[in-house]
Every structure is written in C-alpha cells, then in structure tokens.
Amino acid sequence: ISIVIPTKNEASYLDRTLAQFEGVLEQFDLEIIVSDANSTDHTADIVRQYREKWGERIQLVQKPGKQNIAIGRNLGAEQATGDILFHMDAD
C-alpha cells in the first residue's frame, strides 16, 4: 500500500499524522510518500527525521515550480510502488 500525502507548510500537522503509522509500516507493508510543494516551514525536516527512523518506507518528493494539491498527488503517485494507492491530507 502506498500512501501519498501532499504538503505545503504542514509542519504543525505532519508529525502527528506520520506518528500514527509507527509500528504498522512493516505489518501492513506500507510506504509513505510526502509530496511537498516547496514548503517554507519545517515540513521537509520532519519527513527527513522520519526517514532516519523508517528508512526507505518514507520518501520526500519535491519539485521546483508551482504545485497545487492535484499536482502533489500526481507526483507522489508517480513514485508509488504499492499495488494500492491511498491519498490523504497532512492534517
């Protein structure tokens, strides 16, 4: 299962959102892809912290230029390797 989370300055929510997956990533063979729209807060740093704990199970996708939620979902989906694709918001 691939979970795509588009973000734009979601640092105040993202830590709690990602924390809910602690301990279930391997159990359900999940991958999380955070597709970030060039946030200016600590959104990317939070993803990098989780990557230190979870390794390849979480990825950060960033692309220069304008990115709305639809573009973010599509960019994340392009990176997905799971048989099932699930989209959710950072909050």
Side-chain angles (χ1 to χ4, degrees):
I1 300 171
S2 298
I3 300 169
V4 176
I5 305 172
T7 58
K8 174 71 174 190
N9 296 325
E10 300 287 354
S12 61
Y13 300 106
L14 190 59
D15 186 48
R16 288 179 292 181
T17 299
L18 294 176
Q20 70 184 332
F21 295 104
E22 190 76 46
V24 298
L25 289 173
E26 282 101 19
Q27 181 181 359
F28 294 102
D29 194 22
L30 301 177
E31 75 172 340
I32 298 173
I33 303 162
V34 177
S35 181
D36 185 58
N38 306 305
S39 293
T40 56
D41 64 0
H42 298 288
T43 298
D45 295 330
I46 291 169
V47 177
R48 288 184 192 104
Q49 289 171 359
Y50 276 90
R51 186 159 173 100
E52 288 178 19
K53 295 192 293 186
W54 296 345
E56 297 287 321
R57 295 248 180 222
I58 185 166
Q59 295 184 39
L60 175 64
V61 176
Q62 293 178 304
K63 182 178 178 183
K66 182 180 177 183
Q67 183 174 319
N68 59 30
I69 195 165
I71 293 169
R73 286 183 179 136
N74 289 335
L75 288 172
E78 288 173 6
Q79 300 298 312
T81 61
D83 294 328
I84 298 170
L85 186 60
F86 181 79
H87 294 279
M88 66 178 289
D89 295 331
D91 60 353

